[in-house]
Amino acid sequence: MQEEFALEDGDFRKISKLVLDTAGIVLSDKKRAFIHGRLGRRLRALGLSDFGEYCNLLETNAGEDERLNLINAITTNHTSFFRESHHFDYLNKVILPKLVQSNADPRRIRIWSAGCSTGEEPYTIAMIVRGCLLPLHGWDIKILATDLDTNVVSRAVAGVYDAERIESIPDTYRKRYMTVGSDGCAVMKDELCELITFANLNLLGGWPMSGPFDVIFCRNVVIYFDKDTQRRLFDRYAEILRPDGWLFIGHSESLLNVTDRFDLVGRTIYRRIK
Ligand SMILES: C[S@@+](CC[C@H](N)C(=O)[O-])C[C@H]1O[C@@H](n2cnc3c(N)ncnc32)[C@H](O)[C@@H]1O
């Protein structure tokens, strides 16, 4: 069957370059079908007849909004509550007890969820912080949650999840930190929301915050970046973390041959050493 829109080599290269330069995301030749599927919807929405017209639009000043839509369409936003749950056990049992001692003066903790997608990761962090049995009452605790994709940030801010998505949340947390409606949809409670600041941020661009962060979660994000982009990013993470701060990465990611500024202290859990 003939495809609705033909994707010529030249157009694929233009789109890949734009995505790489803007977001750091590498689109190899194997991603042609993926691009075709994701962007075919954009062409239909815009009433365009081929990818050539789409590329022409992207190159003009009037294409600014569409460049944003393109990036939003290309990002992979898969996530879930308590994903890779050993990370949250480690946060609860190892990191928070250490921070209660080391940060006793000024009683301040800063955590960054970088590449937070639709918010499940920062809300999980907030549940752990709130549920922590340590004396954190009266502490200044903030979780910064950022993503490049403006659509997912809006969904994260709304904090509404359907019944299927909240299944991975242990019962005690579900009962305590969300209001579940008769349709099974859950709304995150204020005591979680007030800990989190959501923002749209491209990790490749400037960072308006000064840090230092005690902990950074950057999980299942750099998997789409080339090694040089990863090197630059992890170097910046080391700079914005406190000297012995923690970094969590995704299950299929590694810092081996990328940076020597972190020491492996657990399964995909690192600590800054330089
Ligand atoms: C697969 S999700 C991971 C979500 C969550 N961290 C987790 O592990 O469940 C990857 C997220 O990284 C974001 N992302 C990709 N490139 C980015 C960039 N250059 N700057 C900021 N976020 C980016 C995507 O928009 C996407 O929401």
Side-chain angles (χ1 to χ4, degrees):
M1 199 178 79
Q2 204 178 351
E3 285 183 315
E4 186 183 357
F5 306 109
L7 177 57
E8 305 294 340
D9 285 352
D11 295 333
F12 177 69
R13 277 197 300 274
K14 279 184 193 162
I15 291 168
S16 310
K17 183 170 181 332
L18 181 63
V19 172
L20 181 66
D21 293 348
T22 312
I25 297 170
V26 179
L27 294 172
S28 69
D29 225 29
K30 289 187 206 131
K31 293 282 173 111
R32 279 183 86 107
F34 166 84
I35 291 285
H36 197 274
R38 294 263 177 119
L39 296 185
R41 276 177 242 150
R42 294 299 317 143
L43 266 68
R44 248 171 261 128
L46 292 162
L48 300 178
S49 50
D50 60 40
F51 276 97
E53 277 185 33
Y54 187 64
C55 287
N56 290 342
L57 170 66
L58 291 173
E59 282 164 5
T60 62
N61 282 344
E64 192 180 337
D65 284 353
E66 191 47 37
R67 289 194 287 276
L68 185 74
N69 289 331
L70 163 73
I71 296 299
N72 287 355
I74 291 305
T75 55
T76 298
N77 309 116
H78 175 76
T79 187
S80 56
F81 287 103
F82 287 86
R83 181 181 195 186
E84 298 170 49
S85 63
H86 64 281
H87 284 165
F88 302 103
D89 287 342
Y90 195 89
L91 176 67
N92 197 12
K93 295 189 184 133
V94 180
I95 299 181
L96 290 174
K98 283 201 168 111
L99 290 178
V100 165
Q101 290 184 352
S102 65
N103 295 13
D105 179 17
R107 291 169 32 120
R108 175 182 180 276
I109 295 175
R110 293 288 180 268
I111 302 176
W112 181 12
S113 164
C116 66
S117 187
T118 39
E120 287 84 338
E121 181 177 279
Y123 284 118
T124 304
I125 298 169
M127 283 184 242
I128 296 297
V129 168
R130 282 285 185 228
C132 171
L133 296 174
L134 296 160
L136 288 172
H137 185 73
W139 279 57
D140 168 19
I141 304 179
K142 290 202 172 84
I143 301 162
L144 173 68
T146 63
D147 202 284
L148 165 73
D149 181 334
T150 52
N151 290 336
V152 293
V153 174
S154 305
R155 286 171 56 193
V157 170
V160 182
Y161 299 91
D162 66 26
E164 207 183 312
R165 293 209 72 77
I166 61 166
E167 267 171 17
S168 57
I169 304 176
D171 252 3
T172 42
Y173 291 110
R174 210 181 314 168
K175 286 190 183 126
R176 210 162 139 190
Y177 297 114
M178 54 214 67
T179 309
V180 182
S182 52
D183 57 357
C185 279
V187 183
M188 298 297 120
K189 283 195 178 162
D190 285 351
E191 49 180 316
L192 297 185
C193 301
E194 63 200 20
L195 285 178
I196 310 172
T197 304
F198 288 102
N200 176 225
L201 182 90
N202 185 349
L203 291 169
L204 267 55
W207 296 352
M209 59 282 188
S210 50
F213 288 96
D214 299 291
V215 186
I216 297 177
F217 284 76
C218 182
R219 308 184 311 155
N220 309 298
V221 177
V222 304
I223 190 175
Y224 307 105
F225 298 169
D226 60 27
K227 288 281 177 224
D228 278 342
T229 308
Q230 292 188 16
R231 253 175 227 122
R232 282 194 297 276
L233 181 63
F234 287 118
D235 205 42
R236 293 178 78 191
Y237 282 152
E239 292 301 315
I240 206 162
L241 265 175
R242 60 187 245 166
D244 54 355
W246 289 266
L247 171 70
F248 291 91
I249 62 172
H251 61 284
S252 59
E253 296 162 339
S254 162
L255 298 191
L256 193 69
N257 299 326
V258 175
T259 174
D260 59 0
R261 299 189 66 175
F262 296 87
D263 213 12
L264 185 67
V265 293
R267 188 151 46 108
T268 51
I269 308 168
Y270 291 82
R271 209 160 175 193
R272 180 184 160 190
I273 48 168
K274 291 189 195 172

